[in-house]
Each structure stands twice: as structure tokens, then as C-alpha cells.
Amino acid sequence: MYRIGIDVGGTNTDAIILDENYHLVHAVKSPTSLDIKTGIETSLRNLLQEANIDKHQITHAMLGTTQCTNAIVERKKLAKVGVIRLGYPATASVPPYTSWPEDMIQKLSGKYALVHGGYEYDGQVLGTVDETEIKALLEEWRGNVESIAVIGVFSSIKNDQEFQVRDYIQEVYGLAFPISCSSLIGSVGLIERENATILNAALCKVIETTTQGFIRALEEEGISDAAVYLCQNDGTLMSIDYAKQFPILTIACGPTNSIRGASYLAKIKNTMVLDVGGTTSDIGVLQDGFPRESSVAVEVGDIRTNFRMPDIISVGLGGGSIVRSDDNCKITVGPDSVGYKIGHEALVFGGNTLTTTDIAVRLGLADVGNKSLVAHLDYDFAKSVQAEIGSIIEQAIDKMKTSSGDVELVLVGGGSVVIPDTIRGVSSIIKPENGGVANAIGACIAQISGQYEQIYIYSREPREASLQDAQQKAVKQAVLAGADPDTVELVEVEETPLAYHPENATRLRVKVVGNMK
């Protein structure tokens, strides 16, 4: 029994095989291709040829991909979205797409409608949904939208109206039409939740292409019976069907895969992790074996959102980062990188661009390429570059700390050779074996999670009953994502009292985790 894990980074696409005891059988790195799909296929082909295992023994295949992130940043392959906000006329002063980049609005069609509906902050009805109004709108939009986002005011307290509108859309457009309901995606805060829901709706075509491409690549290599999963950004997995409903949850899954992989390889559940790739370094914090979640609104492609995101700091420093020195001997490292072209642009590989990898080879920290090609570099200059690299990392680590004390650091990633052996503010650096493919290992060993968040009013529904209800709904999400219901267990409960509410209202977030079926 074997598992395959593939993680697509900005520079390399890593692929690994684990056996039934989660031991690494084989690993390969291939340059990430411009279309991403080719890089995945190449990595998979090389992996299977070199590992020489029985393909029929492969039971699971996992993919961590940057496709959805790239689509938003590059404004490509996005669906035409219709936005239905339940909250007229109360919310008319701030329409959908407020503060969005103009080019993004044009890409998504900019179609939106404020219709009757929504709730007050205490769960009282603000307005009732008008079926005639919704269906007239859908007829008007027919053929002009490819996906619809439904957002109800205070749907985080009650979301039945969103589901009611979803039923109307399915009646008119069919059951297969992509619909995103905000109460299942974002948190409290209408505009940020709406923004996250619109982005989720816009990604329906990207995720369809990605999942089908991965399945096709597996089939072409003779793997047709394996259960296929995509990585999500809390360090867990989701089924293909679940990913199609919530493609936005794949955003930032790369760093969380590395954090989970680092935890597994170093056998540590609470620490800080530095993952150094070819272009960027990502720093995150492990809490009980899972990445710490961000508590603030996060910008994705210059759009402010509040869906679940890991607390990660990314800096423009990697194995391919370009090193420069000006006339005043001021050294700069990155943020630009040669990326996947490092194999022929870095000095040690016969290229003409000075990179951090060249510096590492000159200092004897790495043994790649032809070291005679960097022998001319001044040793003191190389040490100065290394000091600058250390300074960049020190500043980023300080931002992630919650106290002034020194922290333990697990160092992983293919570009980790460029990091100095001592960093101020770090008590010890752990470099686990196979850390270069920690991202793909994290994808491979992950479990399935389910999360549910809602505002409960404890004066109407006791805390114990509220907790039980939230946990049941989180378990339902985990099972939908592909978890075995018999293995699901509670791992996190977060309660945030809402000070402005007169009846002891609390935002309750529950997370459960289970094994794959």
C-alpha cells in the first residue's frame, strides 16, 4: 500500500511516495512549469519510473497546488460571477465590490443585486426572501454568469435564507450550477465575508481544470483506483467534490503542507517552522501539530477577506534569490528570483546570475553544481551576503513571536542550505532528514478536517447544547470532505464573546479532524 504526495511550489514541483508505515520510499524534484500541469505530469512520471513500485498498490494521491492563488493574482481563468446580497435596503450604502481593484471587477463581470432578506445582529428577521424577485433576477442573468455568490446579512447567525436562495438557483439553472453561500465560507463581517465568497465562486473553473488534470495525469500513468485528495490551507485534506465547492480553501496550502511535514519529520508538535523554497521563505507556527490560524482579515490579490487562513509570513528570500551589490558596497538579496530557471541561470550551473545558492556553495554550505565557477567570489563578500540573509530571517521570525524569548526553529525546504547556522532570537535549529520535500510529505500524511463557525446566543441555547450543535456540524463538514466518521475527533474550540450583544452572544468556532476513508 502506497501514497503519493505532490506539492507545486513557485520553483519546484515535489513528488514523493510513502509506504503504509509512512516511511519515505522515493522523492523527486522537477522544475515547476509555466502551465503547472506539465510540471505535475513530469514529477509523477519520474517518481514512478525511479521508484519502480507496483502501481496497483497506490491507494491515495494528494495534490497541493498554487493554481487558485495564481488565478486570483494573475486575474486569469476566473468565472463570471453574479453576486446576490440579501439585505436591501439596509446595506445599500456599501455595495458589493467596494474597494476592489477595477481590473478584477471587469474580469468577474461586476454583476450584483441587492435583494430583500437578511437578519438583524440578534437573529431577528430583517427582511424575507422574495421568490419572484430572485427568479426574475436569474432570468435576467441567464447566460451571462457562470457562478453565483449568495451573501446574507448576519447569515453567520442564521443561514436558512442563503440556502433558500440556493434552492431557487438550482431550480432555474440546474443542480450542477456552481453556487457559493457565504455562511459556509467566511466569518463575521459582511464585506470581508462577501469578498471571500465572490472569490470562491470565481474559482469554480480553475478548480475543475486542476482536479480533472490531476486525475487524468494519474490515469495516464496507470493509477486509476487511488482515492484523490486536494490539500487545504489548515494542513489537512479534502475530497475532489468538496474542493469543487470550496476552492478558496486551497489558497496558502503550500506553506501549511511544509509546516505539517516539518512537524512529522522533526516529531515536534509546538515550534516555529521556516520553509525555504526557490523564490520565497515562509514562516509559520505549529500549535498541537497544526499551523496557527490568522486572527485578522487577510488580503488575497489585493482583496480584503476573512475566511480561514494560516498565520504565515512570506519573505522574498529563497535558493534562487538574486544577490546584488551597488557602488557603495550595499548588498541586497531578492526579493526577485531566477525561480525555476536556477538550473541554467545560477553561476554554479554555468549561468550569469549571482544567487543565494552560489553564496552557499562558495561558503561550503552546499554541494551543488560546479563549485569552481564561484571560486572567484570574495569570501568576506560571501559572508556579508550570508549576514544579510540572516538579518532578513531574524526580522521575519520576530514578527511571528508572541514573546521575547528565543524560539526553537525547524528548518525545511529545498532552499534551506542558504540559511546561516545561527540566527539571533533562535535557540536551536533543527534540520530533519528529508526536509527538502517536507511540503510533499505534509500533503501525504495529512488528515481530513471539518470546521464550523456560528454566533450562538447562550441565553437562548445553553453553552453545552451550542457546543454540541457546532461539533455535529463540523463533523458533517469533515465527512463531506472525505473523513471516516468513526475516526473524527474534536481538536479545537474557540469562543469569542460579542460585547455589543445584550444576550450573551458568542462566536463559536469548532474544528474536528479524522482519517481518510
Side-chain angles (χ1 to χ4, degrees):
M1 299 296 196
Y2 299 101
R3 296 172 174 224
I4 287 178
I6 298 178
D7 187 272
V8 182
T11 304
N12 288 310
T13 295
D14 296 347
I16 63 151
I17 293 177
L18 295 184
D19 64 19
E20 57 193 8
N21 296 316
Y22 296 97
H23 295 141
L24 184 65
V25 175
H26 193 64
V28 299
K29 278 181 181 287
S30 302
T32 296
S33 59
L34 206 55
D35 66 348
I36 293 184
K37 177 175 171 284
T38 309
I40 292 173
E41 291 171 349
T42 303
S43 289
L44 185 59
R45 192 176 306 116
N46 293 344
L47 179 72
L48 293 170
Q49 284 175 355
E50 294 174 21
N52 194 25
I53 61 167
D54 181 2
K55 295 176 184 178
H56 299 292
Q57 292 288 304
I58 296 171
T59 56
H60 297 83
M62 299 78 164
L63 174 67
T65 177
T66 58
Q67 287 279 53
C68 289
T69 310
N70 294 351
I72 292 171
V73 172
E74 297 170 10
R75 320 293 203 229
K76 291 178 180 176
K77 305 171 190 169
L78 299 171
K80 299 286 185 187
V81 179
V83 182
I84 298 176
R85 185 197 286 176
L86 309 173
Y88 183 79
T91 64
S93 59
V94 185
Y97 293 115
T98 296
S99 299
W100 278 53
E102 190 57 41
D103 61 334
M104 192 65 162
I105 299 173
Q106 298 299 325
K107 280 284 180 189
L108 303 190
S109 83
K111 288 189 180 298
Y112 68 84
L114 303 183
V115 300
H116 293 90
Y119 288 96
E120 298 281 7
Y121 72 95
D122 59 358
Q124 293 184 50
V125 174
L126 175 66
T128 55
V129 173
D130 184 338
E131 181 178 353
T132 308
E133 182 183 27
I134 299 293
K135 290 189 173 176
L137 175 66
L138 295 175
E139 287 302 333
E140 182 189 326
W141 282 354
R142 189 184 287 277
N144 295 317
V145 294
E146 298 166 305
S147 179
I148 289 180
V150 182
I151 303 93
V153 176
F154 284 106
S155 62
S156 46
I157 294 179
K158 290 184 76 173
N159 57 9
D160 58 313
Q161 288 187 351
E162 286 189 351
F163 297 156
Q164 194 180 340
V165 172
R166 182 178 65 183
D167 292 342
Y168 294 152
I169 297 168
Q170 289 176 338
E171 276 180 44
V172 177
Y173 288 169
L175 292 174
F177 189 84
I179 305 162
S180 298
C181 292
S182 77
S183 58
L184 301 177
I185 294 165
S187 183
V188 180
L190 175 66
I191 300 302
E192 290 85 359
R193 173 161 45 89
E194 181 174 73
N195 291 348
T197 309
I198 295 170
L199 289 177
N200 189 73
L203 292 168
C204 64
K205 292 200 297 187
V206 178
I207 200 70
E208 181 70 32
T209 305
T210 302
T211 53
Q212 292 310 311
F214 186 43
I215 291 168
R216 206 174 302 116
L218 290 167
E219 288 173 347
E220 284 172 5
E221 294 302 323
I223 303 167
S224 54
D225 298 327
V228 180
Y229 293 89
L230 259 65
C231 299
Q232 50 179 331
N233 61 14
D234 65 347
T236 61
L237 300 168
M238 54 184 167
S239 66
I240 294 292
D241 288 341
Y242 194 81
K244 287 178 181 177
Q245 286 183 60
F246 305 106
I248 200 167
L249 296 183
T250 65
I251 290 175
C253 70
T256 57
N257 283 344
S258 297
I259 291 171
R260 287 281 286 146
S263 172
Y264 176 75
L265 291 170
K267 295 179 171 52
I268 299 173
K269 287 197 167 186
N270 295 282
T271 188
M272 194 174 286
V273 176
L274 171 60
D275 172 35
V276 188
T279 306
T280 60
S281 293
D282 299 310
I283 301 172
V285 176
L286 270 165
Q287 290 181 333
D288 294 324
F290 286 91
R292 185 172 74 193
E293 196 169 307
S294 176
S295 58
V296 297
V298 176
E299 286 204 355
V300 180
D302 299 324
I303 299 154
R304 190 175 169 85
T305 67
N306 68 357
F307 73 103
R308 182 194 74 210
M309 282 284 278
D311 188 9
I312 301 285
I313 286 182
S314 294
V315 292
L317 170 69
S321 294
I322 298 172
V323 178
R324 297 181 178 88
S325 176
D326 63 16
D327 294 338
N328 299 319
C329 297
K330 184 178 185 303
I331 294 167
T332 57
V333 179
D336 50 343
S337 166
V338 295
Y340 59 86
K341 298 177 182 175
I342 189 171
H344 51 85
E345 289 200 6
L347 297 183
V348 288
F349 297 115
N352 300 310
T353 308
L354 177 60
T355 68
T356 51
T357 296
D358 298 317
I359 298 297
V361 172
R362 176 66 182 89
L363 295 173
L365 300 173
D367 185 17
V368 294
N370 184 350
K371 63 182 179 182
S372 67
L373 296 175
V374 292
H376 67 282
L377 293 175
D378 182 71
Y379 188 80
D380 290 337
F381 168 74
K383 290 297 284 184
S384 299
V385 174
Q386 191 187 41
E388 178 62 22
I389 291 170
S391 175
I392 293 169
I393 294 301
E394 284 164 14
Q395 290 175 36
I397 287 174
D398 278 346
K399 289 178 183 176
M400 293 299 286
K401 284 182 178 180
T402 54
S403 65
S404 60
D406 289 356
V407 295
E408 184 180 58
L409 184 72
V410 179
L411 180 61
V412 295
S416 58
V417 291
V418 308
I419 304 300
D421 287 332
T422 56
I423 299 171
R424 279 186 304 175
V426 175
S427 58
S428 62
I429 298 177
I430 298 165
K431 300 177 182 177
E433 189 181 0
N434 302 317
V437 289
N439 49 2
I441 288 173
C444 227
I445 56 105
Q447 295 171 291
I448 310 281
S449 73
Q451 188 165 297
Y452 188 77
E453 182 178 314
Q454 186 180 313
I455 296 173
Y456 288 89
I457 300 171
Y458 287 168
S459 61
R460 299 181 196 171
E461 188 174 3
R463 179 176 179 273
E464 289 71 23
S466 299
L467 277 167
Q468 193 173 0
D469 179 67
Q471 186 174 341
Q472 285 173 353
K473 287 172 177 172
V475 169
K476 188 178 177 183
Q477 289 293 319
V479 172
L480 280 172
D484 179 348
D486 295 332
T487 65
V488 176
E489 59 182 5
L490 181 69
V491 293
E492 194 177 325
V493 175
E494 183 184 293
E495 294 177 276
T496 310
L498 303 183
Y500 58 78
H501 198 286
E503 293 188 80
N504 194 19
T506 301
R507 179 169 68 87
L508 183 60
R509 186 173 67 83
V510 169
K511 181 176 178 179
V512 298
V513 170
N515 296 332
M516 288 178 284
K517 288 177 182 174

